[in-house]
Every structure is written in C-alpha cells, then in structure tokens.
Amino acid sequence: MIKLVKMTPTQQRKIQHLYHRAGFGISISELNKIQNNSIKVIVNNIFSSSKNYTDLSIDYGEYAGSYKMKKEARENLTQEEKKKIQKAFREDIVKINVKWINKLATDNAQLREKMTLFWHGHFACKSPVPMFNQNQNNTLRKFALGKFGDLLMAVSKDPAMLQFLNNQQNRKKSPNENFAREVMELFTLGRGNYTEEDIKNSARAFTGWGFNEEGEFVFRDKQHDDGEKNFMGKTGNFSGEDVIKIILENKKTAEFITNKIYRFFVNENDTDKEVVKKLAGEFYDSGYDIEKLMKNIFTSDWFYDERNIGAKIKSPTELISGMMRVFNVKFENDLPIVFMEKSMGQMLLNPPNVAGWPGGKNWIDTSSLMFRMKLPEVLFKSSELEFSYKDTPDEDNMKEVNMKEDNMKDDEMNMQKQKKNKNDSANREKKFFKKVKTNINLNDYFTTFGKYDKEELVGYLSEFVLQKDINTNTKKLALTYSDISSKENFIESLIMRLMSLPEYQLC
Amino acid sequence: MAKVTRRDFFKFSALASASMMIPSFIKPLQAKEITEKFLASGAKKLVIVQLSGGNDGLNTVIPFKNDIYYSSRNSIAIQEKDVLKITDELGFNPAMPKFKSLYESGYLSIINNVGYPNPDRSHFRSMDIWQSASDSDKYTTSGWIGRYLDSECPDCKNPYNAIEVNDTLSLALKGEKYNGIAVENPERFFMSTSEKYFGDIANANKNKHDDENVAYLYKTIVEATSSAEYVYKTSKIYKSKLEYPKGQFSSNLKTIAELIVSGIDTQVFYVSLGGFDTHVGQNGKQENLLKELSEGIYSFTEDLKGNDKLNDVFIMTFSEFGRRVKQNASGGTDHGTANNIFVINGNLKKPGFYNTAPDLTNLDNGDLKYEIDFRNIYAEVLNKWLNVNDKKILGGNFKQLNLI
C-alpha cells in the first residue's frame, strides 16, 4: 500500500493565511520582510500594530450640524432645504464608506480594522445620519479588541442602534420590544436561550434609553419602568445595565460570540465543536477579553490546519480591500468602489437587515461570480465595466445610497451610453458603463519574480495569489492567456489571470 | 391540459434538436418524449411582479363610496368622477384603463387585505419577509422560489428554472442548495459568460473537488455558462412583433414573453418595478407607475394570448406593504401594512374581486388589518400551479385559496 504523506502548508501559505484572516492580505514586499520569522513573532507584531489606531472621520460640509437641529427648526425647513440636507447626508455616508474601505486597504492597524468589520456585521445597523454612522464605526473600532461587555454596552447606548431598533420609542406605557429582542437573539445569547417573557421583561428594563438632539445617549427617567421584572430566573427592578450584566453572566453568550468569531475568522463550513467549546470557556473565564480570544485562535496549531486554509469565501469588502492592499491598487475616483460593493452585495453601512450579511456561499450566485471573475481585468486594464443597480426603497426617509443621477453629475461621473434616459423607468433603474481608472504599482512584484522563468513563475505566483492549489491544466491555461510581450507584462497579466480564477474568491 | 399549437410544437422540437444535438435518426422519438414532458409540466409558468417601495393599494383600487377614504385623504384621494369604476363601490386608479380591460375580460382577480401577522413597516425587513416567506420575527436566508428550486420537483435542478429579469438576484430566488439566475438581457448574460478563458478553466476543473467551496464555485460557473447559452439560444426563437410600452419594466416583460413563447423550460420569472415609496407628492408619481405597470402587463397578456399561452401563465403582483390610510402632511403616505395583490391568468377560477374591500372602520393603529396571509397564495401557487409540496417549501400549513 502506498503510504499517504500528509501535506502540511508551507510557511509562506501559513503567513498568508494569518494575514487573510487577521487582516486583508499581505503584499509581496511585506511577505519578503517577515517570511523568516516564526508565526508567534508575526502574530505578536500583528497585535502590537493594532494597539495604536486612528478614528475614521470625514470632512462634513455646510450640513455638518444639521443632525443636531432642534425639532422645531427641522419642521420649519422647506421641502427644498430638507431635500438638500438628505442629499448631503447620502453623499457623506458614501464618503464614510469609501474612506473606510481605503482604511481597510491601507491602515497599519489591520487586525483592528478587520475586527471592526466583523463587529459591523455582528451589530448590523444602518442610520440615515452620517455622523451617527461615523460615531458607531469609531465605537466598534475603539472596543474591537477590548472587553466584549464594554463593546456591548457602548453599542447598546449608541444613538444609531437605539434609533435603528426603535428604542427611542420604548416607553414605560407602551414598551417597544425590538431592541431587547435583537440584543438577545442576534447580539448575545442566540435563539433558543431566552423566552418571550425574558424579552418582555428586558424591554421594560430598557425603557427610557434614548438619545438627545445632540446625538448623545440619554436616560429619560420619566419613560423608564422601574417596577419589578423577572429576567432569566432573576427578579428585581432591573435597569438596562442590569439586563446586560445578566446576559453576560450567561455562558451561552460566550458560546454564541465565540462560534460566530470562529465562523468568521477560521472556518464557515466545518466547525470543530470541541475547539469552539474550549475557546468559549476561556473567553468566558477571561471576562470576555476579545484580544485574548483572538490571540488564542491565531497562535493555535489547528488554525493552520490545511482544512482551515482557503476555507472561506471572501466577502465583497475583503475582496476589494484585499486587491487594493496586496497589489497596491489605487482608485482614481471613489464611486466605482461603491458600485462594486453594490454589484457584489455588500454595501458597507447598509447591511440587509439587523441580522447582517449571511456570508459564505450566499455571496455567490451566477451573476455575482461572473462579476468577481471579471473584476481583475477591469482594474488592471482600467477597462469598462457595466454597472447597474435596482431602485431600492427608502428607509425612514433615508434615501439609500443609490446614486441618483444628480449625484453622479456632481461627482463627475462620465455616464456613457446611458440608455433610454428619457423615460421614467430608466431613470429609476440605472445602467451605465463606467471606465474604472486605477493605478497599480507592481514594482515589488517585478523585482521579486523577475528572475524566474515562465514555468517557475506560474508556480510561485499561484502560491502567492491563491490559498488553494490549482491543477496543472489550470496553470497551463493561466500561462497561455498571459501577455508575453515583456517580462513585466507577463507578470502583471499572469497575476490578473490568477485573480480571475474561482480559487481567488477563497481565503 | 395545456393547449399546444402546431406552431408551438414545431418550434419546441426545433429548439430541442438544435440545442441537444440529437442525432437525426432518433429525432422523432426524442421529440415526442420532450413534447410530452413539455405538456405535462413545463408549460406552467409563474410570473412574479414585485412593486418595490410599498404601493398605496387604496389609491390603486379605490373605495369611491367610502367617506372615511375621503376624509382621511383630503388632498390625495381620487375623486369619484375620475375613478375607473368596476363595481358599485370600487374602481381603478384613472391611470389604469388597461387593468379595467383585463378585469372585464375575466383575466384579473383582485385579492384584498393581504398581509401577515405582526407586520414590519421597514421596507427591507418587510421585503425580506415577503421574499423569504418567513414569519415576521424569524430570519431566513433562503427565498421561497429558491426553496422551490431545492425541492424535489423533477425539473428544478437547473438554475434557469427560475429567472429574475434583472442584473442582480433577489433573496426570493436564493435556495439552500440551488439559486435561480439573474438575466436582464440574455445576449449580455451570454457574453459575460462566454469569455474563452472562463470556459476553459471550467472545463479544466470538471472533475470532483474535495473542497466544498471550490466545488460550489466551479458548479456556479458551469451553471452560469450552460444556462446563459440555453437562455440565449432560446431567446432567439420567438421575437415579439407586438409593441410594448417604453421603459425597462415593459421591456423586461417582453423578454419574458419571448422566452415563454420560445418554449423555454423556465417555470418561474421574477421582475420588479420600483419607486412606490411615496412619502411626498404621491399622486403624479404613483399614477405614472400604475400606468407603467398596467400597460406593461396588458401588452404582456396580449402577447401571450396571441400565442395561445395566456392560460399557461399565472401572473401575480405584490408589494412589501400598503400605506397608511391617512395621508401625511406632505401629500404622501407613510408605511402601512395590508395591501391588495393582483393575479392574472386566462383561466381564473374566481375572476374579479376575490374578497371584500378593506374595512376602513376597523383599523390597527391607523393601518389596515390583514385578512389573508400572503403565504396562502404562495401555497396555492406552489401546490396547484407548480405541482410541488407547498408545506415543505413554506415550512407550514397554509390554507389554499381556490384561485386556480
């Protein structure tokens, strides 16, 4: 019988794996620098790079203060003025979105940004007010690697979330249970670990939690129900803070969060239940120390098991910021980024609902996959891509960031070949072609890979670009379809061909 | 049983032989077999029309004898003289003479007060509920048509069994195992998949993959390429000579008619018309949309009728919610709950009004109370029209309405 040799991933692939999961990939120059270090040293460096960080902020124009406007002043606005503010708000949300993508692609605190993205999907929320989005994003960033309890409390008192889950309408006389329900179902315990009675009683505890016109958390004493509540087997006149404390005392919360972190950072199809159980126990014992949990994961041997490498389908955000980070892609204008997000199904700051993006195979359908495979060519050749989007409805007066025609003109979009723009339907359902202008700097790649011949190159490059091995025929095809007019063209086009493979969707 | 004309038969067998490359000596037999299959199940088509944004049902089918309607809507109520009357109490919005004509032909049925328990007034959430057919407090990541594709129906295994005529795929068409496909323009879809490199790499990876995700990705490419070729080739068989109204919505309906008449295997088509979120200055906007909706559907039914297909196609419209009874301060309406839906077919069991008009004296916080859960309609369509197990797909037992 032939003895089976268990393949173990190379050091290079392990490092790339770590960077894909703890961040958004690694460029060749970074990889060259660190490839001889031990995984332990590299993990420590990743954590220390995320100690210091900068907040995300954008320049607000003349409508910066509009969200603070008193109710009476707001009511006195004309339709015209209201529209202008809404338009400015929409544009500012796009600015925050794009600024964040750029931050994901370039920031040194890569792990912290990755965690912020994870929490953005976990505490999925959308707000029509740009400043609320910015504040929440910075709250997630601040506590991203801290104690989960602090993060939970901060998010629960965050105006964007209180507004999104209607806790502003949660009053003693008529409790609104939306916030209480989602806190338990989606943010902490998970379905099945609480009762409808628990929801009713905790909703009463959260009465009075709201925010003022300055966009700050306020406790409205008069709206609060300070009567006795029964919650998870305990009785008392609990406050919202008490409820959160009781939820954190429950081990199910640690299990739920750890399981979700495992699926996001390790493997989404194949969960090692024993590992998750052990991680959850340690997470609970540490008082929900997120940094410790993450370090625990990234330093474990099982994290680098072959079954966990390349086991995830990249989210659109990971795909876009990964291409930008690894291949030094810079977009000359911002809107294509937003269109790409939309075409692939993940607009940042605009999750589909409070449950967040379902992820995994849900990212892929026939049209989104063809789009993803076409994308490298569009970026590398600055070629035309057809974008389209559906007219999506407004959410409580929030015009979803849907690039109405006027916005596009403002942003000097060159709408070409726009079809039938005279009739109503075409105005709502836009289709246009856009030249995506990018700058890509591959000098480090030319230096590193220039010395190899063609056959060697396809081996080395596929090991670098992809986290899954490809078969010989696929390698041959990638070679055949590359441009051999010069060494540089060859390296560039081969990278592009490898990025167009289905395997590139995995990390 | 569906009627198949000589012309249909000819076209269908022409398609079958062209696309399947059947050797000439077995052609007659094979063609007979295919035709029988076509007759048995493939002939039934479902077309779902989504009105995005929450259409105001009260200004679509107007209770023109109701004082509460007029007192609640002092500036946006449609005056009795303008209403296109269809009964003593109810009539269509003036923008919809084409629907009146469908109604008079007996091809249209109006189901009032459709909704679900504990309605959600968020567009996104409510649309998810309609598309996934979930309870309003549950989150489901698959859609009802997607689960239809997952179900054991024999013809469902191809992604093109459900086509959304659009560039992105809605939740409704996403299953646990299978997804439908999004195709707005069959030719462009074909072009997007016809890049030689993609075809070659798919070919080089035909063999089984150990890795679940790799297998899924390659399967999706194969589905995309094979569906694209099939849909594109089929789309060329019948080109409608009928003039449809201008606009993307009507042109999408035209694409559907062409595919159906061409004899495509696809059983479910999904198409949407957006812009119904009328918080401000509702009337002009909604009228344009209702005109677009009714004229588009009218041309579509004419096209089908001219090709003997109207009995085989069941059309249903829906919107994620209706709007509040009372208008707001800016000549519009805010998010509401229950709504009317339209079903259209050449052979309806109960044409006209399926049930009574909304009761404006019995409201829930200013909103209409629902009478029929929308999943009752889904159950009927799945069970009686598409011939599959509705309970399995909907995850519950929903009473059918006897429409079909």
Side-chain angles (χ1 to χ4, degrees):
Chain A
M1 208 171 119
I2 302 163
K3 199 173 164 197
L4 288 171
V5 183
K6 193 180 179 299
M7 293 286 289
T8 47
T10 59
Q11 167 81 350
Q12 182 191 328
R13 193 161 262 177
K14 282 184 185 174
I15 297 174
Q16 289 173 181
H17 175 56
L18 174 63
Y19 270 80
H20 274 301
R21 304 306 177 81
F24 298 90
I26 184 166
S27 67
I28 194 69
S29 51
E30 266 307 287
L31 182 67
N32 284 338
K33 264 185 248 161
I34 63 165
Q35 61 178 333
N36 294 323
N37 295 348
S38 72
I39 291 289
K40 207 175 168 191
V41 166
I42 299 173
V43 170
N44 281 333
N45 285 340
I46 287 178
F47 278 86
S48 61
S49 312
S50 280
K51 281 267 181 281
N52 297 319
Y53 63 95
T54 51
D55 275 351
L56 186 152
S57 68
I58 60 157
D59 294 329
Y60 289 98
E62 56 175 314
Y63 297 103
S66 301
Y67 78 99
K68 290 183 177 174
M69 208 177 266
K70 299 263 182 260
K71 206 176 171 195
E72 310 87 72
R74 207 179 306 139
E75 277 162 4
N76 284 334
L77 292 171
T78 63
Q79 275 312 325
E80 197 65 13
E81 286 166 327
K82 276 187 195 163
K83 270 193 181 161
K84 271 192 182 161
I85 292 178
Q86 280 177 2
K87 181 166 171 269
F89 276 16
R90 290 197 301 273
E91 287 168 357
D92 284 343
I93 290 174
V94 172
K95 275 194 220 161
I96 297 171
N97 177 331
V98 172
K99 185 124 189 197
W100 191 20
I101 284 269
N102 278 296
K103 203 167 163 58
L104 298 175
T106 56
D107 204 287
N108 202 32
Q110 205 177 158
L111 171 63
R112 186 174 292 271
E113 292 304 322
K114 187 66 173 261
M115 294 301 305
T116 308
L117 179 64
F118 169 76
W119 295 121
H120 177 54
H122 181 73
F123 294 110
C125 176
K126 51 192 160 195
S127 165
V129 185
M131 200 65 90
F132 284 10
N133 285 282
Q134 180 182 307
N135 290 346
Q136 191 180 57
N137 192 259
N138 286 326
T139 299
L140 299 177
R141 184 170 289 105
K142 181 178 172 189
F143 295 104
L145 286 159
K147 291 282 171 75
F148 176 71
D150 297 339
L151 173 65
L152 176 63
M153 191 66 82
V155 172
S156 301
K157 290 187 170 179
D158 178 70
M161 190 61 85
L162 291 167
Q163 182 182 49
F164 185 52
L165 294 180
N166 313 110
N167 210 66
Q168 192 80 334
Q169 289 85 40
N170 187 10
R171 301 191 165 101
K172 187 177 177 175
K173 277 188 184 155
S174 58
N176 184 313
E177 296 166 7
N178 198 10
F179 177 73
R181 180 185 299 278
E182 305 312 359
V183 164
M184 283 185 269
E185 177 182 335
L186 299 167
F187 301 164
T188 58
L189 293 158
R191 197 179 277 275
N193 295 315
Y194 53 86
T195 64
E196 284 296 305
E197 275 308 298
D198 291 331
I199 290 174
K200 286 204 172 75
N201 282 278
S202 60
R204 289 174 53 216
F206 288 118
T207 49
W209 281 30
F211 56 92
N212 61 18
E213 281 151 342
E214 298 287 307
E216 295 156 343
F217 174 79
V218 284
F219 178 65
R220 294 163 303 169
D221 208 6
K222 283 180 197 154
Q223 310 289 358
H224 181 68
D225 177 347
D226 55 10
E228 200 169 76
K229 295 134 196 144
N230 299 312
F231 181 67
M232 311 212 78
K234 292 192 162 102
T235 307
N237 54 352
F238 299 133
S239 63
E241 286 86 350
D242 295 330
V243 163
I244 286 181
K245 202 169 146 244
I246 297 170
I247 288 173
L248 289 167
E249 279 165 12
N250 192 321
K251 287 195 173 170
K252 294 285 180 198
T253 296
E255 285 167 22
F256 183 75
I257 300 296
T258 308
N259 195 50
K260 201 158 172 187
I261 283 187
Y262 184 91
R263 289 172 59 83
F264 189 90
F265 287 93
V266 184
N267 199 318
E268 59 202 357
N269 291 329
D270 182 9
T271 304
D272 187 330
K273 290 199 178 106
E274 283 306 304
V275 163
V276 174
K277 206 175 157 194
K278 193 163 166 281
L279 286 173
E282 286 161 5
F283 185 41
Y284 185 83
D285 293 339
S286 73
Y288 290 91
D289 188 327
I290 303 164
E291 182 168 346
K292 250 188 190 154
L293 171 65
M294 300 317 295
K295 209 172 234 179
N296 205 347
I297 291 172
F298 297 138
T299 52
S300 294
D301 286 343
W302 51 255
F303 177 72
Y304 302 91
D305 278 354
E306 198 152 24
R307 72 167 185 172
N308 293 328
I309 293 182
K312 276 187 48 98
I313 294 177
K314 289 174 190 166
S315 64
T317 307
E318 288 169 325
L319 183 72
I320 298 167
S321 32
M323 291 191 298
M324 291 169 79
R325 190 179 273 273
V326 176
F327 300 106
N328 307 314
V329 179
K330 293 206 168 46
F331 288 86
E332 281 189 16
N333 36 22
D334 291 342
L335 279 178
I337 299 178
V338 186
F339 294 135
M340 280 156 50
E341 289 180 34
K342 193 142 185 137
S343 299
M344 293 188 281
Q346 187 180 35
M347 283 275 280
L348 289 176
L349 314 179
N350 193 7
N353 56 54
V354 63
W357 293 277
K361 293 198 190 77
N362 283 293
W363 293 126
I364 303 294
D365 60 49
T366 46
S367 45
S368 68
L369 181 59
M370 298 325 286
F371 187 92
R372 280 169 175 243
M373 287 168 58
K374 190 91 188 148
L375 205 48
E377 194 181 338
V378 172
L379 301 191
F380 276 64
K381 294 190 175 167
S382 281
S383 59
E384 251 181 14
L385 187 56
E386 185 177 335
F387 293 110
S388 69
Y389 50 87
K390 282 184 211 181
D391 180 38
T392 32
D394 303 351
E395 177 80 337
D396 301 330
N397 268 339
M398 172 177 81
K399 297 276 181 209
E400 205 212 359
V401 194
N402 66 351
M403 317 315 139
K404 298 275 182 215
E405 192 174 12
D406 51 357
N407 291 3
M408 287 189 277
K409 274 183 194 146
D410 292 348
D411 289 285
E412 292 173 73
M413 293 290 296
N414 303 314
M415 288 216 296
Q416 295 161 359
K417 304 178 195 170
Q418 193 195 331
K419 290 173 285 181
K420 305 170 197 159
N421 61 350
K422 285 212 170 95
N423 67 62
D424 278 356
S425 181
N427 279 338
R428 281 191 308 276
E429 203 147 339
K430 297 264 187 319
K431 267 177 220 320
F432 50 93
F433 296 84
K434 175 82 187 84
K435 210 169 161 63
V436 181
K437 284 191 197 142
T438 55
N439 284 313
I440 299 181
N441 183 347
L442 294 176
N443 286 338
D444 292 334
Y445 292 81
F446 301 149
T447 319
T448 306
F449 294 105
K451 53 182 177 278
Y452 301 112
D453 70 30
K454 274 195 210 166
E455 307 296 326
E456 284 173 316
L457 253 175
V458 69
Y460 287 126
L461 270 178
S462 60
E463 171 91 5
F464 175 77
V465 176
L466 309 169
Q467 287 297 87
K468 285 273 175 207
D469 290 330
I470 50 173
N471 65 33
T472 324
N473 285 341
T474 311
K475 282 183 190 164
K476 266 190 206 150
L477 282 168
L479 273 180
T480 317
Y481 278 89
S482 296
D483 173 0
I484 51 165
S485 59
S486 72
K487 194 97 192 178
E488 281 79 14
N489 288 348
F490 182 66
I491 291 172
E492 181 173 326
S493 61
L494 187 54
I495 289 175
M496 187 187 89
R497 290 300 177 191
L498 293 169
M499 287 168 77
S500 296
L501 291 174
E503 284 83 353
Y504 186 68
Q505 311 312 319
L506 302 171
C507 73
Chain B
M1 179 164 276
K3 207 168 92 191
V4 174
T5 63
R6 252 172 56 87
R7 197 166 36 142
D8 291 331
F9 177 79
F10 171 73
K11 275 181 204 142
F12 188 78
S13 37
L15 164 70
S17 56
S19 65
M20 297 168 197
M21 308 294 270
I22 302 164
S24 57
F25 62 91
I26 60 161
K27 215 187 282 173
L29 202 77
Q30 193 87 349
K32 184 172 169 282
E33 205 176 282
I34 292 162
T35 311
E36 276 164 4
K37 191 179 140 236
F38 175 66
L39 284 168
S41 69
K44 292 274 187 273
K45 312 293 182 191
L46 171 66
V47 179
I48 301 164
V49 179
Q50 173 176 307
L51 310 179
S52 311
N55 178 37
D56 179 18
L58 278 177
N59 269 19
T60 305
V61 179
I62 298 145
F64 62 86
K65 287 289 182 201
N66 195 316
D67 292 342
I68 302 174
Y69 168 73
Y70 287 101
S71 61
S72 308
R73 300 184 159 208
N74 56 7
S75 75
I76 67 159
I78 309 290
Q79 293 312 306
E80 186 178 342
K81 62 176 171 46
D82 299 323
V83 173
L84 304 173
K85 292 170 190 158
I86 44 180
T87 70
D88 293 344
E89 287 168 15
L90 295 163
F92 285 118
N93 184 293
M96 304 170 84
K98 294 290 188 193
F99 258 36
K100 191 173 183 226
S101 159
L102 284 176
Y103 176 92
E104 283 159 355
S105 311
Y107 298 149
L108 174 75
S109 176
I110 301 153
I111 310 172
N112 285 310
N113 314 317
V114 184
Y116 55 89
N118 304 314
D120 195 301
R121 289 166 185 78
S122 147
H123 290 289
F124 299 97
R125 182 66 194 128
S126 192
M127 193 56 98
D128 278 354
I129 291 165
W130 274 88
Q131 293 199 6
S132 65
S134 74
D135 292 339
S136 68
D137 65 344
K138 292 208 172 76
Y139 290 90
T140 306
T141 54
S142 63
W144 72 288
I145 297 301
R147 293 195 303 275
Y148 157 75
L149 295 175
D150 287 341
S151 77
E152 71 274 42
C153 67
D155 293 318
C156 286
K157 53 193 175 296
N158 296 313
Y160 56 72
N161 277 118
I163 294 179
E164 174 158 9
V165 188
N166 206 319
D167 278 340
T168 48
L169 195 69
S170 295
L171 171 66
L173 284 84
K174 292 186 178 171
E176 310 278 354
K177 279 189 290 182
Y178 298 107
N179 290 330
I181 51 171
V183 188
E184 180 160 308
N185 177 329
E187 187 180 359
R188 229 177 39 227
F189 182 53
F190 180 62
M191 300 298 274
S192 86
T193 58
S194 66
E195 190 154 319
K196 207 168 167 297
Y197 181 54
F198 297 162
D200 285 351
I201 55 175
N203 234 343
N205 288 277
K206 273 189 302 203
N207 299 329
K208 269 197 176 275
H209 296 272
D210 301 334
D211 185 87
E212 190 180 336
N213 281 337
V214 174
Y216 176 75
L217 289 165
Y218 276 104
K219 182 176 148 260
T220 308
I221 305 181
V222 171
E223 283 174 0
T225 44
S226 61
S227 300
E229 186 173 6
Y230 173 74
V231 173
Y232 175 56
K233 282 188 176 158
T234 310
S235 75
K236 290 196 294 190
I237 297 172
Y238 167 75
K239 287 288 172 204
S240 176
K241 288 192 184 65
L242 202 75
E243 189 150 349
Y244 279 69
K246 284 207 173 69
Q248 195 63 54
F249 174 70
S250 293
S251 114
N252 290 346
L253 287 173
K254 189 177 186 181
T255 303
I256 297 175
E258 290 178 340
L259 289 168
I260 290 175
V261 177
S262 294
I264 195 165
D265 274 346
T266 308
Q267 287 196 280
V268 182
F269 296 89
Y270 201 94
V271 63
S272 54
L273 175 62
F276 286 94
D277 195 25
T278 49
H279 288 276
V280 180
Q282 173 171 300
N283 283 20
K285 273 185 225 166
Q286 196 200 15
E287 276 152 31
N288 285 337
L289 289 166
L290 293 176
K291 184 170 188 284
E292 202 172 347
L293 170 75
S294 54
E295 290 182 354
I297 289 188
Y298 182 80
S299 298
F300 182 59
T301 55
E302 283 294 290
D303 205 353
L304 294 173
K305 207 168 67 180
N307 288 284
D308 261 328
K309 285 276 182 280
L310 190 54
N311 288 359
D312 297 335
V313 180
F314 190 86
I315 307 162
M316 65 171 279
T317 70
F318 82 96
S319 196
E320 70 268 34
F321 42 61
R323 306 189 76 87
R324 311 217 93 187
V325 174
K326 200 169 164 22
Q327 73 169 81
N328 65 21
S330 40
T333 47
D334 296 321
H335 303 178
T337 53
N339 206 353
N340 40 40
I341 78 165
F342 298 113
V343 299
I344 297 137
N345 174 252
N347 196 14
L348 289 168
K349 246 190 189 162
K350 200 176 172 186
F353 281 94
Y354 180 81
N355 54 353
T356 55
D359 181 357
L360 302 187
T361 63
N362 180 17
L363 300 180
D364 170 19
N365 259 322
D367 281 326
L368 302 176
K369 284 185 180 162
Y370 88 98
E371 174 195 348
I372 295 171
D373 191 308
F374 68 99
R375 289 165 296 186
N376 296 123
I377 304 166
Y378 289 3
E380 166 118 358
V381 166
L382 288 166
N383 184 286
K384 291 208 198 124
W385 194 252
L386 298 174
N387 209 8
V388 285
N389 184 340
D390 57 299
K391 292 174 193 71
K392 203 173 152 192
I393 292 167
L394 298 175
N397 199 352
F398 295 94
K399 201 176 143 259
Q400 295 172 35
L401 302 184
N402 219 13
L403 298 164
I404 298 164

